[in-house]
């Protein structure tokens, strides 16, 4: 008879050993009669089980996983809210869509532009005043326009300092007629990055907030606390407007909690990806109020780890306002985030309805909660939270989770120790065998990871990176099949040569125990690290252990095999379904990010690593089936065939990375800056000047796909680094030089902006302790970048920016991001350096770049002409800039 996956009804007795617990009968010798070390012995055979050969076992496992994958996918797609029944208190998505359409119709809303500072502000005020006129007597509405000036330092993107002047905030306070001492804040931003309409980021959130204001104001029920709606006008300038509000506005003092509405994609479900810090009552408020929950502490810990190169106003309210909050973002279709395709028609009305229902419910809950007034009393403690297929959210205190995790791990270790100690005379051999299988499982994972990463590096080196960017299934067929095949191959070889004379049932049993041991160790370690995401490991310990206990009983010969398999898979249902659901969310977020992660990161290596990790997790409790089936030959051949065919197709270039499909574009991002540069010596004379179009591709492929369309953009014009200048003498708008080391400089005529930068040295003062203070005045366009590099022997000790303590960027230079709104006065600042006694070559190099993001200076004729030549599968954003380097 064939031996198969189902030959293994594992005889897990209460004693944990391989012998019958009932001492009235002699020890049973099932499946070839094994002794205590699992080796086959002769003797009469007793009740054999019906076989499940590979031809049935492998497809059954595959169908099981595919079914879970489909269920997880459906849960992501079908849970958009349906429009609520009409009523004066219900969120009206069609009306919110009208707000959205009107905001995006203004066009790109860059800070400092008339579109942002005048048109968008006037539209918001018009709608807010219309809402105020129709509000009930139960509420009082106050409106304020704030134009703050300030400065702060932030450790985002390696660290830099930000300065803003006269930017715009539109603020509305809805409170009871008699006023309120405490308030909850709802925040969105109406500005956008240059050259994009910014529908999802973040006009839709402002549209949602307008409709929530409208809904609440028409309610006859008075709120207990105030709700402050902040429509901030400078978030894309790295969180400037929120800083101006929370540090300078008088209403900020009353805020006890906030909800921040953001986007990392276009539409879909809004994910709660940050909460706190601490304040578990906020998560409980979301759990109690949200109608369509979608939240994950895993997303929170990933985001706060810094892996994703992004940040939100959440950081400002947390760090500068010491206020707890909830951070939500749309995450679907991040391929067109921050591109010209981010238009209002791509955001489904159901997405708006869903977001409005959730945020309205949570705001109402907080505005009527007694805990808001005493939020600091409920501050302590983190919380574990995650939604279950978008149906509801499980949330519990992290300290409770810690206890649960350790108890679960302890039970698993107790179970394993009982297995090892039965019988006691075989404890040491049993322990050795368990650790051998433990090590072999880890070895198979390492082999799979190394093998797949080698393939990913090879794909990158031959210029076929991101072949899966438009066709995600390619990554699964290429890296997923390779990982699965390698895992199966390692264990097949081990079964054939290392475990040649071992009983299959015994091997299946001990490899299950090895997987359980791995997850138990991971659970204990991750819990000890203080990560709330350890709950995932709890699922992978508790449910498989229950599945094992469910299948310990011997079934009758007829149908026992299939009954065992079905009960085993049923026991694994919860962790496998949740992992499919979670992994889909992770891939939905991370895959588009690979298209804007810079020129230094190999996206295939990152994605291949993710796929291997998911493969290892999903295979962990199916490894034992390799030892239970008669042969894995057919499965290995099938996986290898798919891998080889996909590899050949990828190498041939048949899978083009980018797409111009009007319905679902996935463009390549390219930034072009028509730049004029001047380098001055210590006496102020220009010693070098040039002009060109500086080009940065946002992904690892660089310009390789652009060159056939624009032949002059090739590797012969790679940008050289000016070593003596900070940041290589290049006009970076942000300090992202470490992400984009490959860029191109196409010679072009010099540009002459109508609003040129004016840079003055106001004074040079000698200070105590061999220090010198240099004071400057700068005027120019709405966006400027300042670069500072102290010369050897000099130290930048203090300056008038931020909190007075200079923050260096990666590489040691200092970066200052400057922006202003309308009618800003010239920028005055000073720097103080400790200098050596002799400094004939100066003490500091200071560069200043002016960026023209809008208006008649934005694009030169040469830049226009070059942009027109780019293929339609690119999103090419261009502007003009000047760069001057001075030595003092």
């Amino acid at each position: 008879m064939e031996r198969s996956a189902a030959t293994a009804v594992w005889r897990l007795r209460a004693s944990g050993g391989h012998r019958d617990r009932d001492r009235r009968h002699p020890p049973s010798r099932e499946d070839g009669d094994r002794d205590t070390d699992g080796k086959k012995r002769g003797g009469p055979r007793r009740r054999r089980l019906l076989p499940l050969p590979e031809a049935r076992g492998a497809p059954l496992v595959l169908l099981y996983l595919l079914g879970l994958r489909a269920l997880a996918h459906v849960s992501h797609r079908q849970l958009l809210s349906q429009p609520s029944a009409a009523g004066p208190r219900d969120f009206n998505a069609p009306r919110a869509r009208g707000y959205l359409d009107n905001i995006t119709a203004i066009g790109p809303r860059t800070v400092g532009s008339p579109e942002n500072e005048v048109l968008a502000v006037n539209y918001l005020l018009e709608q807010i005043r219309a809402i105020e006129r129709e509000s009930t007597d139960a509420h009082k509405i106050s409106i304020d326009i704030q134009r703050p000036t300030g400065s702060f330092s932030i450790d985002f993107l390696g660290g830099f300092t930000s300065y803003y002047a006269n930017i715009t905030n539109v603020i509305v306070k809805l409170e009871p007629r008699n006023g309120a001492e405490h308030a909850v804040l709802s925040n969105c931003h109406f500005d956008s990055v240059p050259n994009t309409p910014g529908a999802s980021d973040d006009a839709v959130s402002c549209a949602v907030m307008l409709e929530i204001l409208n809904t609440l104001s028409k309610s006859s029920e008075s709120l207990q606390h105030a709700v402050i709606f902040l429509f901030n006008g400078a978030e894309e300038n790295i969180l400037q407007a929120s800083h101006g509000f929370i540090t300078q506005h008088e209403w900020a003092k009353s805020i006890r909690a906030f909800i921040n509405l953001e986007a990392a994609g276009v539409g879909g479900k809004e994910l709660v990806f940050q909460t706190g810090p601490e304040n578990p009552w906020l998560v409980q408020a979301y759990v109690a109020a949200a109608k369509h929950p979608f939240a994950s502490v895993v997303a929170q810990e990933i985001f706060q780890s810094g892996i994703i190169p992004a940040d939100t106003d959440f950081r400002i309210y947390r760090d500068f306002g010491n206020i707890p909050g909830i951070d939500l973002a749309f995450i679907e279709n991040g391929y067109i985030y921050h591109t010209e395709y981010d238009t209002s028609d791509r955001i489904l009305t159901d997405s708006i309805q869903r977001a409005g229902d959730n945020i309205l419910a949570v705001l109402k809950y907080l505005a009527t909660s007694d805990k808001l007034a005493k939020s600091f009393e409920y501050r302590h403690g983190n919380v574990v939270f995650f939604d279950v297929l978008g149906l509801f959210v499980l949330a519990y205190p992290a300290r409770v989770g810690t206890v649960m995790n350790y108890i679960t791990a302890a039970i698993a270790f107790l179970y394993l120790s009982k297995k090892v100690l039965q019988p006691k005379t075989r404890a040491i051999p049993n322990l050795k065998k368990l650790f051998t299988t433990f090590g072999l499982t880890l070895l198979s994972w390492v082999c799979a990871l190394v093998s797949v990463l080698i393939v990913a590096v090879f794909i990158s080196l031959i210029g076929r990176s991101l072949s899966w960017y438009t066709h995600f299934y390619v990554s699964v067929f290429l890296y997923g099949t390779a990982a699965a095949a390698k895992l199966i191959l390692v264990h097949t070889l081990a079964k054939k040569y290392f475990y040649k004379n071992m009983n299959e049932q015994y091997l299946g049993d001990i490899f299950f125990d090895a997987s359980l041991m791995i997850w138990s160790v991971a659970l204990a370690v991750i819990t000890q690290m203080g990560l709330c995401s350890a709950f995932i490991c709890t699922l992978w310990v508790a449910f498989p252990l229950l599945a094992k206990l469910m299948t310990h009983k011997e079934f009758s010969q007829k149908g026992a095999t299939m009954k065992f398999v079905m009960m085993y898979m049923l026991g694994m249902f919860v962790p496998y379904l949740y992992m499919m659901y979670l992994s889909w969310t992770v891939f939905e977020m991370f895959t588009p990010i690979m298209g804007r992660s810079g020129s230094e990161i190999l996206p295939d290596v990152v994605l291949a690593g993710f796929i291997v990790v998911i493969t290892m997790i999903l295979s962990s409790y199916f490894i034992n089936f390799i030892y239970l089936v008669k042969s894995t030959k057919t499965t290995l051949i099938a996986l290898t065939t798919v891998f080889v065919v996909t590899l050949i197709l990828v190498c041939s270039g048949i899978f083009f990375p980018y797409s111009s499909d009007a319905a679902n574009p996935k463009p390549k991002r390219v930034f072009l800056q028509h730049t004029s540069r001047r380098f001055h010596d210590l006496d102020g004379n220009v010693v070098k000047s040039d002009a060109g179009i500086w080009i940065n591709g946002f992904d690892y492929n660089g310009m390789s796909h652009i060159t056939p369309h624009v032949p002059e953009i090739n590797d012969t014009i790679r940008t050289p680094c000016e070593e003596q200048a900070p940041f290589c003498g290049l006009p970076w708008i942000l300090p992202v030089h470490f992400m984009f080391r490959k860029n191109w400089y196409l010679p072009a005529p010099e540009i002459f902006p109508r609003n040129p930068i004016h840079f003055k040295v106001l004074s040079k003062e000698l200070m105590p302790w061999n220090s010198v203070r240099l004071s400057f005045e700068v005027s120019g366009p709405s966006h400027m970048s300042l670069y500072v590099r102290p010369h050897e022997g000099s130290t930048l000790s203090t300056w008038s920016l931020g909190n007075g303590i200079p923050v260096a960027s990666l590489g040691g230079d200092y970066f200052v991001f400057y922006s202003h709104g309308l009618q800003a006065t010239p920028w005055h600042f000073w720097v103080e350096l400790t200098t050596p006694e002799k400094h004939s070559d100066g003490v500091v190099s200071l560069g200043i770049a002016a960026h023209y993001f809008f208006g008649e200076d934005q694009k030169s004729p040469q830049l226009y002409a070059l942009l027109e030549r780019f293929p339609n599968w690119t999103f090419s954003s261009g502007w003009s800039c000047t760069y001057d380097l001075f030595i003092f």
Side-chain angles (χ1 to χ4, degrees), residues 672-676 692-694 748-749 751 860 862-863 879-881:
L672 301 92
Q673 297 169 236
H674 193 165
T675 305
S676 288
I693 298 177
W694 185 44
I751 58 172
S860 66
Q862 294 80 12
L863 183 56
W879 68 93
S880 298
C881 60

Side-chain angles (χ1 to χ4, degrees), residues 317-361:
Y317 301 131
R318 178 194 67 194
D319 295 352
F320 293 93
N322 196 30
I323 301 170
I326 300 173
D327 213 358
L328 304 99
F330 294 103
I331 63 169
E332 186 175 291
N333 198 8
Y335 298 98
I336 57 177
Y337 165 78
H338 279 190
T339 73
E340 63 186 342
Y341 302 105
D342 183 11
T343 53
S344 61
D345 60 295
R346 297 183 186 277
I347 301 176
L348 298 177
T349 301
D350 281 351
S351 290
I352 300 173
Q353 183 72 59
R354 175 197 164 87
D357 286 344
N358 280 343
I359 298 161
L360 173 61

